[in-house]
Amino acid sequence: MPTAIVRPVSPAIQQCELTHLERQPIDFSRAQSQHASYCTTLAANGYQVVELSVAEDLADSVFVEDTALVLPELAIITRPGAASRRPELAAMAAVLQNYRQLAWLSEPATLDGGDVVVLGKTIWIGLSSRSNQAAVEQVQAVTKAFGYRVQGVELGQCLHLKTAVCAVDSNTVLLNPQWVEPQVFAEYQVIEVDPREEFAANVVQLHYGRLLYDQAYSATAERLRQRGYQLILVDNSELTKAEGALTCCSVLIHETEG
Ligand code: CIR
């Protein structure tokens, strides 16, 4: 059975890091109930949901994706670009060690898991305000023995690589051409987001091929449906204000893929 590691929304969420968005009020109880639906949806789709304990004073701790990269062969504990987020790592490492051998990044590398897109044996890393070339080199060093190629990607004005591009299957990406150059992903099939929906590229690939998707992006959802993808929609409106998208809220552990 695949596993999803999640963490409750912190009561400090209003003090979250923001890079490209203006701060606006976040309704904590609404964020909690949307997050609960996200977890229930993962469970209903076959995941064993493992919840880390709430971190009262770690504002961004719900965004567990940024703390780890899980591959079939090992898990890498990241070194988030925002120093405020580094205390989030210990709880993730304590659980992940039950599933994978762990590797750690060290200074000067910085990496947010939101900057990582894995397609087969290629690991794409966004060179964002959070993740750097030293991370590309360190991830390459610890994954080389398993046959991975690690490639840095230049990004436009968005927080993470997964804000700009995500895989929707092993050979296809969903991408916003304003934020990442489509040519970089020319070896795959490329689906572009609807130009009215700039945040629509973020999508969670579930273990049997369905996609967990944000109900806010109906025009891009239609594009995906027309290509034959089955979508499961959830509401993420409160955590969107914290610059968090759907992939950010879980670390998925699959039997055969990261
Ligand atoms: C941050 O700026 O770190 C959080 N407010 C949002 C992190 C979102 N995580 C993600 O996209 N993987």
Side-chain angles (χ1 to χ4, degrees), residues 4-226:
I5 303 178
V6 300
R7 198 165 196 174
V9 183
S10 168
I13 184 72
Q14 194 63 53
Q15 281 79 54
C16 66
E17 298 281 345
L18 287 176
T19 307
H20 297 284
L21 297 184
E22 294 291 322
R23 198 168 295 281
Q24 34 174 330
I26 295 172
D27 181 330
F28 177 55
S29 66
R30 194 148 179 253
Q32 281 182 306
S33 88
Q34 290 176 353
H35 186 258
S37 297
Y38 176 91
C39 296
T40 307
T41 304
L42 288 171
N45 283 280
Y47 286 82
Q48 179 182 20
V49 177
V50 174
E51 189 173 79
L52 306 182
S53 57
V54 65
E56 306 274 346
D57 53 351
L58 298 178
D60 283 302
S61 49
V62 64
F63 302 123
V64 287
E65 171 180 56
D66 292 317
T67 63
L69 164 60
V70 177
L71 298 169
E73 302 88 351
L74 82 165
I76 299 171
I77 303 300
T78 65
R79 186 165 179 273
S84 68
R85 302 205 50 193
R86 293 187 194 142
E88 296 173 27
L89 302 181
M92 177 59 72
V95 168
L96 264 185
Q97 67 178 353
N98 299 318
Y99 297 87
R100 293 287 188 277
Q101 182 183 331
L102 299 186
W104 295 76
L105 300 186
S106 57
E107 204 177 353
T110 61
L111 180 71
D112 282 10
D115 273 317
V116 183
V117 171
V118 181
L119 278 142
K121 287 286 186 182
T122 305
I123 300 173
W124 300 92
I125 294 185
L127 299 170
S128 67
S129 60
R130 301 290 176 84
S131 303
N132 62 16
Q133 182 61 29
V136 172
E137 287 157 20
Q138 290 187 21
V139 172
Q140 181 67 82
V142 293
T143 60
K144 196 170 179 188
F146 305 112
Y148 288 92
R149 171 180 74 116
V150 185
Q151 196 70 42
V153 184
E154 295 295 335
L155 276 188
Q157 295 301 304
C158 64
L159 182 59
H160 286 133
L161 182 61
K162 274 189 184 139
T163 326
V165 57
C166 281
V168 289
D169 62 39
S170 58
N171 191 41
T172 312
V173 296
L174 176 65
L175 163 160
N176 181 341
Q178 288 175 5
W179 288 335
V180 70
E181 177 54 56
Q183 202 52 36
V184 172
F185 293 93
E187 66 196 89
Y188 309 105
Q189 300 287 321
V190 172
I191 303 172
E192 293 192 2
V193 300
D194 185 285
R196 293 164 296 180
E197 298 177 342
E198 56 181 353
F199 289 101
N202 190 269
V203 54
V204 182
Q205 262 187 283
L206 299 178
H207 65 112
Y208 52 87
R210 288 191 193 165
L211 303 176
L212 185 63
Y213 198 59
D214 190 325
Q215 66 181 30
Y217 310 122
S218 54
T220 305
E222 198 44 40
R223 287 187 184 198
L224 290 166
R225 285 197 198 92
Q226 280 171 8

